[in-house]
Amino acid sequence: MEQKFISASLKLGPLTPLVGEWEGNVGVDLAYQNKDDVIARTTSFEKAWFKPIPIQENGQQSIEGLAYKITNWRHGEEAMDPFHDESGYLLWDKKNGQVIQSVVFGRGIAILAGSDAGPNDKEIRFKATPGEPCYGILQNKYLLERAELKSYDHTFIFNEDGTFTHTSDIILKLAAIGKEMHHTDTNTLHRVKRYHPSVELA
């Protein structure tokens, strides 16, 4: 009987380059600092991992994807508690040409974001807007009153040298300053560990 081999790129589409563990030391976060009542930039060190998950089936829909976790520490505070922590799934719906991000933050925020994508795209985006029935945003009562999320835009760019750069732009309506602002994050990460798909399934 002829044996068939399935390339990982056919299964994970544009998410394929992310599989593994990553580190980046050039993070920049622009955010409102509550303690000092200022908008300031913070530099950071970041660790992330992305692990393939079993195929997910919703009726006639089949989804491949990755479980992931991203954690950030301010420079000089690497031995202390991180200031940012998120976990979720990045999903590839080949038939419908969609990438999807399902993510929760420890602050009490849940986001389902997505957009059109092709299997070999070198840049993918995840977008969400509050109130949208498909790609939307939920947050806890306190944040809704003090720091309401108005939009979410997260982009991954796969670089020629094997690194990837991700940038997020979140528009917040901040009660403390009485207006909206762009909370942005960016970092470039390099892979520090590869996973073998036969033994590293989440």
Side-chain angles (χ1 to χ4, degrees):
M1 179 181 295
E2 180 185 359
Q3 290 185 329
K4 294 183 179 180
F5 296 91
I6 300 175
S7 169
S9 62
L10 297 178
K11 292 172 62 65
L12 294 170
L15 303 177
T16 301
L18 289 171
V19 177
E21 296 181 11
W22 302 78
E23 292 183 358
N25 200 37
V26 292
V28 179
D29 173 82
L30 175 66
Y32 174 72
Q33 308 288 336
N34 282 282
K35 291 182 179 180
D36 300 319
D37 191 27
V38 296
I39 296 174
R41 285 181 170 82
T42 300
T43 60
S44 67
F45 169 73
E46 180 174 322
K47 299 189 72 171
W49 55 256
F50 301 85
K51 299 180 180 181
I53 62 173
I55 188 171
Q56 306 295 304
E57 295 184 346
N58 300 318
Q60 298 301 311
Q61 182 187 45
S62 294
I63 296 177
E64 300 283 355
L66 304 168
Y68 83 94
K69 186 175 181 63
I70 295 175
T71 308
N72 296 75
W73 293 262
R74 293 182 179 89
H75 283 149
E77 297 181 0
E78 288 84 353
M80 302 169 67
D81 290 335
F83 77 94
H84 177 84
D85 183 72
E86 68 178 84
S87 59
Y89 297 93
L90 300 181
L91 306 172
W92 166 235
D93 181 349
K94 180 180 179 180
K95 182 177 181 180
N96 294 295
Q98 293 273 290
V99 285
I100 304 164
Q101 181 182 28
S102 175
V103 56
V104 293
F105 301 88
R107 301 174 185 272
I109 300 169
I111 297 174
L112 186 69
S115 70
D116 296 336
N120 300 306
D121 285 358
K122 300 301 182 184
E123 179 176 327
I124 53 177
R125 298 181 70 183
F126 304 93
K127 302 180 70 174
T129 305
E132 287 294 322
C134 184
Y135 297 134
I137 300 170
L138 292 173
Q139 57 190 128
N140 73 58
K141 183 177 180 180
Y142 174 85
L143 288 177
L144 191 61
E145 295 171 349
R146 304 295 300 172
E148 182 182 359
L149 275 74
K150 306 297 289 185
S151 72
Y152 173 86
D153 191 339
H154 194 179
T155 301
F156 287 76
I157 299 173
F158 303 110
N159 305 312
E160 292 296 329
D161 64 357
T163 64
F164 79 87
T165 301
H166 72 100
T167 301
S168 67
D169 183 359
I170 300 173
I171 298 179
L172 297 169
K173 182 180 179 182
L174 292 173
I177 62 176
K179 61 180 181 180
E180 294 182 358
M181 70 158 289
H182 287 262
H183 176 168
T184 61
D185 290 278
T186 186
N187 205 344
T188 296
L189 289 80
H190 63 277
R191 189 175 1 235
V192 295
K193 182 179 179 181
R194 293 184 178 274
Y195 292 148
H196 191 288
S198 66
V199 296
E200 295 290 350
L201 288 176

